[in-house]
Amino acid sequence: MIAEARLRDGTRALIWPLLPSDREAVRERYETLSAETREHRFLASVPHLTDAMLDHLVDEVDGIDHVALALVVLDDDNVGGPVGVARMIRYRDQPEAADVAVTVDDAWQDRGVATALLAELLRARRAGVVQVLTTVAADNEASLAMLRRLGRNTVTPAGNNRLDVVVDLPDVPPGPDRSEDVGP
């Protein structure tokens, strides 16, 4: 599945599944993120991705219970580079619920990358997944706003600068107007 997207500023992008061959690119892109973006992603100081983390983030993606998508922006020559990754991981003990995480390069934040990725991620979610259960940093306003756009929210304190968020997902995922899929 490859989908086309346009960001808020009109930038053209493609969204496709993260592949095992993307392992080193994920590692390299993570190194370019600010300390704040890294901490918001993992709710802890994680200066570098370990091999074990990459095993989980890349190698364990199965496209069913662990879906991960990359957004690549295109220039006028249709050459692009990845600027964001979103993932949804279904809980084994709660098959109707999943966690979500989105990481966007600092220079591309607040431009609609997360919105485009989440719209496509919700389309790709496993049948029967009707809730998102996740924990976010209380000061991560961008993530909280993103989760509010997904559906009805319940937010509860979860300890030191953390919030647990439950989102009831709609049948039809929200998001910007999308082009038809352009791949197999």
Side-chain angles (χ1 to χ4, degrees), residues 16-29 54 57-59 68-70 72 82 85:
W16 61 63
L18 194 68
L19 301 171
S21 59
D22 295 324
R23 183 181 176 101
E24 288 309 309
V26 168
R27 183 192 311 266
E28 290 169 10
R29 296 303 287 199
L54 286 164
L57 295 172
V58 180
D59 297 344
L69 303 174
V72 175
V85 173

Side-chain angles (χ1 to χ4, degrees), residues 1-7 12-23 25-26 29 57-58 61-63 66-75 77-88 101 103 113 116-124 178-184:
M1 166 210 70
I2 298 176
E4 290 186 35
R6 283 221 184 252
L7 304 183
R12 295 178 316 129
L14 295 176
I15 298 173
W16 61 63
L18 194 68
L19 301 171
S21 59
D22 295 324
R23 183 181 176 101
V26 168
R29 296 303 287 199
L57 295 172
V58 180
V61 173
D62 63 10
H66 183 165
V67 178
L69 303 174
L71 184 138
V72 175
V73 295
L74 300 174
D75 64 17
D77 296 322
N78 290 321
V79 176
V83 299
V85 173
R87 69 186 63 249
M88 178 177 278
T103 306
V113 172
L117 278 166
L118 280 172
E120 206 56 45
L121 191 64
L122 290 180
R123 283 183 188 81
R178 307 292 294 199
S179 303
E180 291 183 16
D181 287 350
V182 293

Side-chain angles (χ1 to χ4, degrees), residues 40 102 136-137 140-149 153 165:
H40 279 162
V102 180
V136 299
N140 190 342
E141 287 299 324
S143 286
L144 292 168
M146 172 189 76
L147 292 166
R148 281 191 296 271
R149 287 192 300 270
N153 274 240
V165 181

